[in-house]
Amino acid sequence: MSDFTGADLTGQSGRCFVVTGANAGIGFAIAHALAAQDARVVLACRNEDRARAAMARIVADHPAADLDFLPLDQGDLASVRAAAALAAKEPRIDALINNAGVMVPPLSFTRDGFEMQFGVNHLGTFALTALMLPLLEQTATTYGEARVVVTASIAHKKGRIAFDNLDGSQGYARMPFYQQSKLANLLFATELDRRLRAAASRVKAIACHPGVAQSELTRHIPLRRMFTPLLGMVLNTAEEGAWPALQAACDPALSGGEYVGSRGIFEARGPSGPAFRSIAARDPELAKRLWDVSVDMTGIDPGLSPAPGQPPA
């Protein structure tokens, strides 16, 4: 697998991509890049006005862009269900790019009562993916493959899953809960691909991370405005941060189960390629336990059996 940049993205005519959180930052850069390659891009966002404004910006650069808006709030399982039902009306979906997320907000909760970071970043992604799998399977059967892209983070390296404190009732710290949610993303992507392979599915699950990129995700970080000009000189731009997701969604060299991300110093910036997983992220028992807990919490079951030989939860 060679390093991947935006220059390696080839024509995507006839293909359809759903990109969550596509109205700004990395999500917008992903949508813009795909539209430039003639893909149909569905922008799945909470705010319709902001999504429409993002679509107008893309059309200004690419007048023939094929775009649509999908209302989606990953902090509300009812919204996730409704979004999946609307997405199912698409004739095909070649890739679901799970990009939306929140980072280090004060302790707060989703509409369903989950701690915000775990609820939006992991449970919302888990639920949306599970509900969209039937159309992805149909696309894969008809056209040869489809993909699920899950956005993790280098922050997962310090993450641990505190199953006894997922709601923060026994103490909450912003960054550890973010790290937990990003470890959950990586565990989910890996477990999903294992189960898809066991089911002989042609849907591939691939994880990615954007390095450390400028995006609205950092809006809750104290002193962000003060340091943004300095960070802009040393970290990924949103366009560069989009490269790993674009690789995960489109690189024909990937066979499923990979984890790709920025390969520069400390994995903070640069072209996309194979990324480092922590020991916890490689633990199949932990991944299966998280899967089962996620089914229980969301009430949504992807309907995929564990891969043979996996340990019990």
Short mmCIF file of all heavy atoms in Angstrom, two decimals, residues 179-226:
data_model
loop_
_atom_site.label_atom_id
_atom_site.label_comp_id
_atom_site.label_asym_id
_atom_site.label_seq_id
_atom_site.Cartn_x
_atom_site.Cartn_y
_atom_site.Cartn_z
N GLN A 179 -11.05 9.99 24.02
CA GLN A 179 -10.17 8.88 23.69
C GLN A 179 -10.93 7.55 23.72
O GLN A 179 -10.72 6.69 22.86
CB GLN A 179 -8.99 8.85 24.69
CG GLN A 179 -8.07 10.04 24.55
CD GLN A 179 -7.17 10.25 25.77
OE1 GLN A 179 -7.41 9.70 26.85
NE2 GLN A 179 -6.13 11.05 25.61
N GLN A 180 -11.81 7.39 24.69
CA GLN A 180 -12.64 6.20 24.77
C GLN A 180 -13.51 6.03 23.53
O GLN A 180 -13.60 4.95 22.94
CB GLN A 180 -13.53 6.28 26.01
CG GLN A 180 -14.58 5.18 26.10
CD GLN A 180 -15.42 5.30 27.36
OE1 GLN A 180 -15.25 4.51 28.28
NE2 GLN A 180 -16.31 6.27 27.42
N SER A 181 -14.13 7.13 23.10
CA SER A 181 -15.02 7.05 21.94
C SER A 181 -14.25 6.71 20.66
O SER A 181 -14.76 5.99 19.79
CB SER A 181 -15.79 8.36 21.76
OG SER A 181 -14.97 9.40 21.27
N LYS A 182 -13.03 7.20 20.56
CA LYS A 182 -12.23 6.92 19.36
C LYS A 182 -11.68 5.50 19.38
O LYS A 182 -11.57 4.87 18.31
CB LYS A 182 -11.10 7.95 19.23
CG LYS A 182 -11.59 9.36 18.96
CD LYS A 182 -12.16 9.50 17.55
CE LYS A 182 -13.64 9.58 17.43
NZ LYS A 182 -14.12 9.74 16.05
N LEU A 183 -11.34 4.97 20.54
CA LEU A 183 -10.99 3.56 20.64
C LEU A 183 -12.19 2.71 20.25
O LEU A 183 -12.05 1.71 19.54
CB LEU A 183 -10.53 3.22 22.06
CG LEU A 183 -10.29 1.73 22.35
CD1 LEU A 183 -9.24 1.14 21.41
CD2 LEU A 183 -9.87 1.54 23.82
N ALA A 184 -13.37 3.12 20.69
CA ALA A 184 -14.59 2.39 20.33
C ALA A 184 -14.79 2.39 18.82
O ALA A 184 -15.18 1.37 18.24
CB ALA A 184 -15.79 3.01 21.03
N ASN A 185 -14.54 3.51 18.16
CA ASN A 185 -14.65 3.57 16.70
C ASN A 185 -13.75 2.54 16.02
O ASN A 185 -14.16 1.83 15.10
CB ASN A 185 -14.28 4.96 16.17
CG ASN A 185 -15.33 6.01 16.42
OD1 ASN A 185 -15.02 7.17 16.65
ND2 ASN A 185 -16.60 5.64 16.37
N LEU A 186 -12.51 2.45 16.47
CA LEU A 186 -11.55 1.55 15.85
C LEU A 186 -11.90 0.09 16.14
O LEU A 186 -11.82 -0.78 15.25
CB LEU A 186 -10.14 1.89 16.32
CG LEU A 186 -8.97 1.18 15.63
CD1 LEU A 186 -9.12 1.20 14.12
CD2 LEU A 186 -7.65 1.83 16.06
N LEU A 187 -12.31 -0.19 17.37
CA LEU A 187 -12.74 -1.54 17.72
C LEU A 187 -13.95 -1.95 16.88
O LEU A 187 -14.04 -3.09 16.40
CB LEU A 187 -13.08 -1.62 19.20
CG LEU A 187 -11.90 -1.61 20.17
CD1 LEU A 187 -12.39 -1.33 21.59
CD2 LEU A 187 -11.15 -2.94 20.13
N PHE A 188 -14.90 -1.03 16.72
CA PHE A 188 -16.10 -1.32 15.95
C PHE A 188 -15.76 -1.63 14.49
O PHE A 188 -16.25 -2.61 13.91
CB PHE A 188 -17.09 -0.16 16.03
CG PHE A 188 -18.22 -0.26 15.04
CD1 PHE A 188 -19.01 -1.40 14.97
CD2 PHE A 188 -18.49 0.79 14.17
CE1 PHE A 188 -20.06 -1.51 14.05
CE2 PHE A 188 -19.53 0.69 13.25
CZ PHE A 188 -20.31 -0.46 13.19
N ALA A 189 -14.93 -0.80 13.87
CA ALA A 189 -14.59 -1.02 12.47
C ALA A 189 -13.92 -2.38 12.28
O ALA A 189 -14.23 -3.11 11.32
CB ALA A 189 -13.67 0.10 11.97
N THR A 190 -13.03 -2.73 13.19
CA THR A 190 -12.32 -4.00 13.08
C THR A 190 -13.25 -5.18 13.28
O THR A 190 -13.21 -6.16 12.53
CB THR A 190 -11.18 -4.04 14.12
OG1 THR A 190 -10.34 -2.89 13.96
CG2 THR A 190 -10.34 -5.30 13.94
N GLU A 191 -14.10 -5.09 14.29
CA GLU A 191 -15.05 -6.17 14.56
C GLU A 191 -16.08 -6.29 13.44
O GLU A 191 -16.46 -7.41 13.04
CB GLU A 191 -15.76 -5.92 15.89
CG GLU A 191 -16.78 -6.98 16.28
CD GLU A 191 -16.17 -8.32 16.65
OE1 GLU A 191 -14.93 -8.44 16.72
OE2 GLU A 191 -16.95 -9.27 16.85
N LEU A 192 -16.52 -5.16 12.91
CA LEU A 192 -17.46 -5.19 11.80
C LEU A 192 -16.86 -5.92 10.61
O LEU A 192 -17.52 -6.77 9.98
CB LEU A 192 -17.86 -3.77 11.41
CG LEU A 192 -18.77 -3.62 10.18
CD1 LEU A 192 -20.10 -4.34 10.38
CD2 LEU A 192 -18.99 -2.14 9.86
N ASP A 193 -15.61 -5.61 10.28
CA ASP A 193 -15.01 -6.28 9.13
C ASP A 193 -14.84 -7.77 9.38
O ASP A 193 -15.06 -8.58 8.47
CB ASP A 193 -13.66 -5.64 8.78
CG ASP A 193 -13.21 -6.04 7.39
OD1 ASP A 193 -13.80 -5.54 6.41
OD2 ASP A 193 -12.31 -6.90 7.26
N ARG A 194 -14.46 -8.16 10.61
CA ARG A 194 -14.34 -9.59 10.92
C ARG A 194 -15.67 -10.30 10.68
O ARG A 194 -15.71 -11.39 10.11
CB ARG A 194 -13.91 -9.77 12.37
CG ARG A 194 -12.41 -9.73 12.60
CD ARG A 194 -12.04 -10.28 13.95
NE ARG A 194 -12.47 -9.42 15.04
CZ ARG A 194 -11.66 -8.58 15.70
NH1 ARG A 194 -10.39 -8.49 15.36
NH2 ARG A 194 -12.12 -7.84 16.68
N ARG A 195 -16.75 -9.70 11.14
CA ARG A 195 -18.07 -10.33 11.01
C ARG A 195 -18.54 -10.34 9.56
O ARG A 195 -19.19 -11.30 9.12
CB ARG A 195 -19.07 -9.63 11.92
CG ARG A 195 -18.76 -9.84 13.40
CD ARG A 195 -19.78 -9.19 14.32
NE ARG A 195 -19.41 -9.36 15.72
CZ ARG A 195 -20.23 -9.78 16.68
NH1 ARG A 195 -21.49 -10.08 16.38
NH2 ARG A 195 -19.81 -9.90 17.91
N LEU A 196 -18.24 -9.28 8.84
CA LEU A 196 -18.59 -9.26 7.42
C LEU A 196 -17.85 -10.36 6.66
O LEU A 196 -18.42 -11.04 5.81
CB LEU A 196 -18.27 -7.89 6.82
CG LEU A 196 -19.18 -6.74 7.27
CD1 LEU A 196 -18.58 -5.40 6.85
CD2 LEU A 196 -20.60 -6.89 6.70
N ARG A 197 -16.56 -10.54 6.97
CA ARG A 197 -15.78 -11.60 6.31
C ARG A 197 -16.36 -12.97 6.65
O ARG A 197 -16.46 -13.85 5.78
CB ARG A 197 -14.33 -11.55 6.76
CG ARG A 197 -13.54 -10.29 6.44
CD ARG A 197 -13.17 -10.18 4.98
NE ARG A 197 -14.32 -9.85 4.13
CZ ARG A 197 -14.93 -8.66 4.10
NH1 ARG A 197 -14.50 -7.68 4.87
NH2 ARG A 197 -15.96 -8.44 3.32
N ALA A 198 -16.74 -13.17 7.91
CA ALA A 198 -17.29 -14.45 8.33
C ALA A 198 -18.61 -14.74 7.61
O ALA A 198 -18.96 -15.91 7.39
CB ALA A 198 -17.49 -14.48 9.84
N ALA A 199 -19.34 -13.68 7.26
CA ALA A 199 -20.61 -13.83 6.57
C ALA A 199 -20.45 -13.88 5.05
O ALA A 199 -21.44 -13.89 4.32
CB ALA A 199 -21.54 -12.68 6.94
N ALA A 200 -19.19 -13.89 4.58
CA ALA A 200 -18.89 -13.89 3.15
C ALA A 200 -19.49 -12.68 2.44
O ALA A 200 -19.89 -12.74 1.28
CB ALA A 200 -19.37 -15.18 2.49
N SER A 201 -19.54 -11.55 3.15
CA SER A 201 -20.06 -10.32 2.58
C SER A 201 -19.01 -9.66 1.69
O SER A 201 -17.80 -9.79 1.93
CB SER A 201 -20.47 -9.36 3.70
OG SER A 201 -20.79 -8.09 3.18
N ARG A 202 -19.48 -8.91 0.71
CA ARG A 202 -18.58 -8.11 -0.11
C ARG A 202 -18.48 -6.67 0.39
O ARG A 202 -17.84 -5.83 -0.24
CB ARG A 202 -19.05 -8.12 -1.57
CG ARG A 202 -18.91 -9.48 -2.23
CD ARG A 202 -19.24 -9.42 -3.71
NE ARG A 202 -19.04 -10.70 -4.36
CZ ARG A 202 -19.22 -10.92 -5.66
NH1 ARG A 202 -19.61 -9.94 -6.45
NH2 ARG A 202 -19.00 -12.11 -6.17
N VAL A 203 -19.13 -6.38 1.50
CA VAL A 203 -18.98 -5.07 2.13
C VAL A 203 -17.69 -5.09 2.95
O VAL A 203 -17.44 -6.03 3.70
CB VAL A 203 -20.18 -4.75 3.04
CG1 VAL A 203 -19.97 -3.39 3.72
CG2 VAL A 203 -21.47 -4.74 2.24
N LYS A 204 -16.89 -4.06 2.80
CA LYS A 204 -15.63 -3.94 3.53
C LYS A 204 -15.74 -2.83 4.58
O LYS A 204 -16.32 -1.78 4.31
CB LYS A 204 -14.49 -3.60 2.58
CG LYS A 204 -14.27 -4.61 1.46
CD LYS A 204 -13.22 -4.11 0.49
CE LYS A 204 -13.01 -5.09 -0.65
NZ LYS A 204 -12.00 -4.59 -1.63
N ALA A 205 -15.20 -3.07 5.75
CA ALA A 205 -15.12 -2.03 6.78
C ALA A 205 -13.67 -1.61 6.94
O ALA A 205 -12.79 -2.46 7.12
CB ALA A 205 -15.68 -2.53 8.10
N ILE A 206 -13.41 -0.32 6.86
CA ILE A 206 -12.06 0.21 6.93
C ILE A 206 -12.06 1.43 7.84
O ILE A 206 -12.94 2.29 7.73
CB ILE A 206 -11.55 0.60 5.53
CG1 ILE A 206 -11.54 -0.64 4.61
CG2 ILE A 206 -10.15 1.22 5.60
CD1 ILE A 206 -11.34 -0.32 3.15
N ALA A 207 -11.11 1.49 8.74
CA ALA A 207 -11.00 2.63 9.67
C ALA A 207 -9.95 3.61 9.17
O ALA A 207 -9.04 3.25 8.42
CB ALA A 207 -10.64 2.14 11.06
N CYS A 208 -10.10 4.85 9.59
CA CYS A 208 -9.12 5.87 9.22
C CYS A 208 -8.99 6.88 10.36
O CYS A 208 -9.80 6.92 11.27
CB CYS A 208 -9.54 6.58 7.93
SG CYS A 208 -11.04 7.59 8.08
N HIS A 209 -7.93 7.66 10.29
CA HIS A 209 -7.82 8.83 11.17
C HIS A 209 -7.23 9.98 10.36
O HIS A 209 -6.46 9.76 9.43
CB HIS A 209 -6.97 8.53 12.41
CG HIS A 209 -5.48 8.49 12.16
ND1 HIS A 209 -4.72 9.64 12.01
CD2 HIS A 209 -4.60 7.45 12.04
CE1 HIS A 209 -3.45 9.31 11.81
NE2 HIS A 209 -3.35 8.00 11.81
N PRO A 210 -7.62 11.23 10.69
CA PRO A 210 -7.21 12.36 9.86
C PRO A 210 -5.91 13.03 10.29
O PRO A 210 -5.63 14.16 9.84
CB PRO A 210 -8.37 13.33 10.05
CG PRO A 210 -8.79 13.08 11.47
CD PRO A 210 -8.62 11.60 11.69
N GLY A 211 -5.12 12.35 11.16
CA GLY A 211 -3.99 13.06 11.74
C GLY A 211 -4.51 14.10 12.71
O GLY A 211 -5.52 13.88 13.40
N VAL A 212 -3.84 15.21 12.79
CA VAL A 212 -4.33 16.33 13.59
C VAL A 212 -4.62 17.45 12.61
O VAL A 212 -3.71 18.06 12.05
CB VAL A 212 -3.32 16.77 14.65
CG1 VAL A 212 -3.91 17.89 15.51
CG2 VAL A 212 -2.91 15.59 15.53
N ALA A 213 -5.90 17.68 12.37
CA ALA A 213 -6.30 18.60 11.31
C ALA A 213 -7.12 19.75 11.87
O ALA A 213 -7.75 19.64 12.93
CB ALA A 213 -7.10 17.86 10.24
N GLN A 214 -7.10 20.85 11.14
CA GLN A 214 -7.93 22.00 11.50
C GLN A 214 -9.37 21.69 11.14
O GLN A 214 -9.67 21.40 10.00
CB GLN A 214 -7.47 23.23 10.73
CG GLN A 214 -6.00 23.58 10.94
CD GLN A 214 -5.58 24.69 10.03
OE1 GLN A 214 -6.05 25.82 10.17
NE2 GLN A 214 -4.70 24.41 9.09
N SER A 215 -10.25 21.74 12.12
CA SER A 215 -11.66 21.47 11.86
C SER A 215 -12.50 22.02 12.99
O SER A 215 -12.00 22.35 14.07
CB SER A 215 -11.89 19.97 11.68
OG SER A 215 -12.40 19.36 12.80
N GLU A 216 -13.81 22.07 12.75
CA GLU A 216 -14.73 22.55 13.79
C GLU A 216 -14.84 21.57 14.95
O GLU A 216 -15.40 21.90 15.99
CB GLU A 216 -16.12 22.79 13.19
CG GLU A 216 -16.19 24.02 12.31
CD GLU A 216 -17.61 24.51 12.12
OE1 GLU A 216 -18.54 23.80 12.54
OE2 GLU A 216 -17.79 25.60 11.57
N LEU A 217 -14.29 20.37 14.79
CA LEU A 217 -14.32 19.40 15.87
C LEU A 217 -13.65 19.92 17.13
O LEU A 217 -13.97 19.53 18.24
CB LEU A 217 -13.62 18.11 15.40
CG LEU A 217 -13.81 16.86 16.26
CD1 LEU A 217 -15.26 16.43 16.27
CD2 LEU A 217 -12.93 15.73 15.73
N THR A 218 -12.69 20.85 16.95
CA THR A 218 -11.92 21.35 18.09
C THR A 218 -12.57 22.57 18.76
O THR A 218 -11.94 23.21 19.59
CB THR A 218 -10.51 21.75 17.63
OG1 THR A 218 -10.61 22.77 16.62
CG2 THR A 218 -9.76 20.56 17.04
N ARG A 219 -13.82 22.85 18.44
CA ARG A 219 -14.42 24.10 18.93
C ARG A 219 -14.55 24.17 20.44
O ARG A 219 -14.66 25.27 21.00
CB ARG A 219 -15.78 24.32 18.27
CG ARG A 219 -16.84 23.27 18.59
CD ARG A 219 -18.09 23.51 17.76
NE ARG A 219 -19.10 22.49 17.95
CZ ARG A 219 -19.14 21.35 17.30
NH1 ARG A 219 -18.20 21.08 16.42
NH2 ARG A 219 -20.09 20.47 17.52
N HIS A 220 -14.55 23.02 21.14
CA HIS A 220 -14.68 23.03 22.59
C HIS A 220 -13.33 23.11 23.31
O HIS A 220 -13.29 23.15 24.54
CB HIS A 220 -15.42 21.78 23.07
CG HIS A 220 -16.85 21.70 22.62
ND1 HIS A 220 -17.82 22.57 23.04
CD2 HIS A 220 -17.45 20.86 21.74
CE1 HIS A 220 -18.97 22.26 22.47
NE2 HIS A 220 -18.78 21.24 21.68
N ILE A 221 -12.23 23.11 22.56
CA ILE A 221 -10.91 23.13 23.18
C ILE A 221 -10.60 24.56 23.65
O ILE A 221 -10.67 25.51 22.87
CB ILE A 221 -9.82 22.66 22.21
CG1 ILE A 221 -10.07 21.19 21.85
CG2 ILE A 221 -8.43 22.83 22.81
CD1 ILE A 221 -9.08 20.63 20.85
N PRO A 222 -10.25 24.75 24.93
CA PRO A 222 -9.92 26.08 25.43
C PRO A 222 -8.75 26.69 24.64
O PRO A 222 -7.83 26.00 24.22
CB PRO A 222 -9.52 25.81 26.89
CG PRO A 222 -10.21 24.54 27.26
CD PRO A 222 -10.21 23.73 25.99
N LEU A 223 -8.79 28.00 24.44
CA LEU A 223 -7.74 28.77 23.77
C LEU A 223 -7.54 28.36 22.31
O LEU A 223 -6.53 28.67 21.70
CB LEU A 223 -6.41 28.65 24.53
CG LEU A 223 -6.43 29.05 26.01
CD1 LEU A 223 -5.04 28.87 26.62
CD2 LEU A 223 -6.90 30.48 26.18
N ARG A 224 -8.53 27.67 21.75
CA ARG A 224 -8.40 27.22 20.35
C ARG A 224 -8.12 28.38 19.41
O ARG A 224 -7.24 28.31 18.55
CB ARG A 224 -9.70 26.52 19.93
CG ARG A 224 -9.78 26.20 18.43
CD ARG A 224 -11.22 25.96 18.03
NE ARG A 224 -11.33 25.69 16.60
CZ ARG A 224 -12.31 26.11 15.85
NH1 ARG A 224 -13.26 26.86 16.36
NH2 ARG A 224 -12.37 25.80 14.57
N ARG A 225 -8.85 29.49 19.59
CA ARG A 225 -8.67 30.62 18.67
C ARG A 225 -7.26 31.19 18.74
O ARG A 225 -6.70 31.62 17.73
CB ARG A 225 -9.70 31.71 18.98
CG ARG A 225 -11.14 31.31 18.68
CD ARG A 225 -12.09 32.45 18.98
NE ARG A 225 -13.47 32.08 18.74
CZ ARG A 225 -14.07 32.15 17.55
NH1 ARG A 225 -13.38 32.58 16.51
NH2 ARG A 225 -15.33 31.78 17.41
N MET A 226 -6.68 31.18 19.92
CA MET A 226 -5.35 31.75 20.10
C MET A 226 -4.30 30.95 19.32
O MET A 226 -3.37 31.50 18.73
CB MET A 226 -4.98 31.78 21.58
CG MET A 226 -3.61 32.38 21.88
SD MET A 226 -3.21 32.29 23.63
CE MET A 226 -4.56 33.26 24.33
#
